[in-house]
Amino acid sequence: MTDRIALDVSAKRWLKEKALAEGTVLQSFAFDEVHKHLYVLQVRPGGGESGHLRLNKLDYEGELLGSMKLQGFGHGVSMGVQNAADGKVWIWTEADAKGGYGQGVTRFRFADGATRTGADVNIRKPIPASINNQPSVCMASKRIAVRYRVKGKPRYRVWDLDAFVARDYADPVADIAQPEAHPDQRIPFQGYALYGDHIYQLAGTAYDAEANPPARFGNAYVSSIDITTGELVQRLRTEAGRSLVFREPEGVAVRAKGEAGLFLGFASGAAGERRFSLYRKPLA
């Protein structure tokens, strides 16, 4: 599977300033394309260092259908949705938080109103001596990626999803160094998504009167990587959502069906009352 989403096409708004269960920013999101649900992670108020997350479930109109608490799971840098052959829907996230970031990954079923801790799930640590493990699932290729760090350097490792579920980590599809997601290495990484033979990255910061003024439409960059070569294929600045107040880039995901394309997430609004918006670059 080699289809690549072109980044030099305009992104159109798909959802505008929707509310989540908490008043914090979104961190990452993923689609259940079978049931037409959207899942969104956010750090709970005061839960950053402890890795306390809120998982939201929404419909495709952005209406909140329910949520659950994930205690000590991580920062929610990325996530994935797996549609299993038996019809079950599994949510993949980081887990086993230390310093606010997950040191492994896990999967679990969504349960509205529930609270999960590390003791309630099976935590996987597929890359020895690594830290900050963050998953993404591509159902189109039936693969899973984990972003991780070794000796302070970020990398991506990709496996066949069925093999990974079976805990067979010996034969990954790819293992590559992460190319810089932004021309300025000081700018924070804001998420990634696996789709076929490519990984899509987002980086940038919220508007700031001096460092990132709204009049310049932000410093958000989106990029693509070929996992077969490790090559940075495209890296472009995006002005999607430029009229939003605050406008912090947060999360990226791909839909392969229906309104297929690359979706970019942005937080907006006042502190404690954040909203999220999604913008779509179409899959040609």
Side-chain angles (χ1 to χ4, degrees):
M1 181 178 179
T2 58
D3 289 345
R4 177 173 62 85
I5 301 170
L7 303 182
D8 54 356
V9 297
S10 297
K12 303 297 184 182
R13 188 176 66 222
W14 191 68
L15 289 178
K16 181 180 180 181
E17 296 190 297
K18 298 297 183 177
L20 297 170
E22 307 281 5
T24 55
V25 303
L26 80 157
Q27 296 293 337
S28 59
F29 60 98
F31 295 99
D32 172 1
E33 295 200 76
V34 174
H35 303 96
K36 297 184 178 179
H37 291 142
L38 169 66
Y39 290 90
V40 181
L41 281 173
Q42 54 185 158
V43 175
R44 297 182 59 216
E49 187 66 22
S50 301
H52 296 340
L53 300 173
R54 173 80 69 172
L55 175 62
N56 301 265
K57 179 180 180 180
L58 305 97
D59 63 22
Y60 275 10
E61 301 299 319
E63 296 302 314
L64 187 63
L65 303 176
S67 70
M68 60 187 295
K69 297 177 183 178
L70 307 175
Q71 299 290 89
F73 275 54
H75 192 72
V77 173
S78 63
M79 64 174 297
V81 173
Q82 175 193 359
N83 298 107
D86 62 3
K88 292 180 180 178
V89 178
W90 294 93
I91 310 299
W92 288 86
T93 68
E94 57 192 277
D96 187 25
K98 289 181 175 58
Y101 289 84
Q103 305 307 297
V105 301
T106 191
R107 70 172 188 167
F108 54 89
R109 306 288 306 284
F110 177 84
D112 185 29
T115 298
R116 296 285 183 266
T117 70
D120 301 317
V121 297
N122 294 315
I123 298 173
R124 302 159 184 260
K125 297 189 175 181
I127 307 164
S130 71
I131 63 171
N132 296 13
N133 286 200
Q134 298 143 6
S136 176
V137 173
C138 172
M139 286 308 301
S141 61
K142 294 185 179 179
R143 291 172 176 172
I144 184 170
V146 174
R147 181 177 182 259
Y148 66 99
R149 286 182 178 269
V150 169
K151 297 181 179 179
K153 300 295 185 181
R155 300 183 62 86
Y156 293 107
R157 192 171 293 186
V158 182
W159 292 265
D160 172 83
L161 181 56
D162 288 340
F164 193 90
V165 169
R167 299 182 180 271
D168 179 2
Y169 310 131
D171 189 23
V173 174
D175 187 288
I176 60 173
Q178 179 202 298
E180 291 294 340
H182 198 282
D184 184 344
Q185 296 183 18
R186 298 169 299 176
I187 300 298
F189 183 89
Q190 297 286 16
Y192 84 98
L194 172 68
Y195 178 65
D197 288 334
H198 294 86
I199 281 172
Y200 299 89
Q201 304 180 129
L202 187 64
T205 60
Y207 281 152
D208 178 89
E210 295 183 5
N212 187 27
R216 296 180 184 174
F217 305 134
N219 60 12
Y221 270 74
V222 60
S223 55
S224 59
I225 308 161
D226 186 332
I227 66 169
T228 67
T229 65
E231 175 189 2
L232 179 67
V233 180
Q234 278 188 300
R235 187 175 64 192
L236 301 171
R237 182 168 163 268
T238 176
E239 295 184 3
R242 68 187 193 179
S243 65
L244 295 171
V245 174
F246 181 73
R247 187 188 182 264
E248 183 176 16
E250 292 281 4
V252 57
V254 176
R255 282 180 60 189
K257 303 174 183 177
E259 295 177 286
L262 179 69
F263 290 74
L264 310 177
F266 292 89
S268 63
E273 299 178 351
R274 303 296 191 202
R275 298 291 185 266
F276 82 97
S277 301
L278 300 184
Y279 289 77
R280 169 180 166 267
K281 287 181 178 286
L283 175 63

